[in-house]
Amino acid sequence: MSDRIDLAWPGCNLLTDQQSSIEDSTLGVAGAWEADTNVTVARSTAQADNGVASMSMTATAGATMIARSIYRRAVPSQTYAARARLRANTTARTCRVGLRFQNSAGGTISTTFGTGVADSNAAWTTISIAATQAPALTARVVIVVEV
């Protein structure tokens, strides 16, 4: 489960409240989060740290799961940071949040992850990636959450 997820550059969150916390039951994860690798994503009210809902990540096989945000416009050389609050449904796993920088056609230029942190099924855990400079040719940035 992931609750609040933020994408920041100096002074603001680039995600809307809905994209950050999945609170609107009519929208769910649509227009905010997508499956990337080995995962299905959905809005869940089973657990929440902020508000009444969170995004659930369910593995489609026994490997690492990756979910991604929709892209936000980005600028080369600007610094971006991200953080997420996660909680395991059952078994604790090492989790990371990262930034995927893309060109204007959506091709990946680079992906950088923060340090892996073990989540817990008893409490919410914050994971983050520190300020990271967007490489040349960056036009978009996407948050990736790896569990």
Side-chain angles (χ1 to χ4, degrees):
M1 295 276 188
S2 59
D3 194 47
R4 179 119 186 139
I5 303 173
D6 299 316
L7 171 64
W9 70 300
C12 75
N13 182 3
L14 298 179
L15 300 180
T16 67
D17 283 342
Q18 173 62 20
Q19 292 165 338
S20 292
S21 66
I22 321 297
E23 292 301 314
D24 187 331
S25 63
T26 61
L27 296 175
V29 295
W33 291 91
E34 302 171 333
D36 187 276
T37 304
N38 187 42
V39 70
T40 57
V41 294
R43 180 181 185 270
S44 173
T45 56
Q47 299 183 55
D49 183 48
N50 178 20
V52 298
S54 60
M55 178 177 66
S56 69
M57 297 173 63
T58 304
T60 57
T64 300
M65 300 177 286
I66 300 177
R68 67 176 181 261
S69 69
I70 61 165
Y71 76 85
R72 307 303 298 171
R73 294 188 192 279
V75 179
S77 300
Q78 179 63 55
T79 57
Y80 297 87
R83 68 180 173 147
R85 299 268 298 155
L86 300 160
R87 183 174 180 160
N89 187 36
T90 54
T91 304
R93 298 176 69 170
T94 298
C95 306
R96 302 186 303 168
V97 64
L99 297 170
R100 181 178 295 158
F101 296 101
Q102 300 176 326
N103 61 28
S104 60
T108 298
I109 298 169
S110 67
T111 303
T112 305
F113 282 95
T115 303
V117 176
D119 64 0
S120 164
N121 62 6
W124 291 89
T125 302
T126 300
I127 59 174
S128 63
I129 180 168
T132 303
Q133 188 175 44
L137 303 178
T138 294
R140 305 172 174 186
V141 62
V142 173
I143 301 172
V144 288
V145 177
E146 180 183 272
V147 178

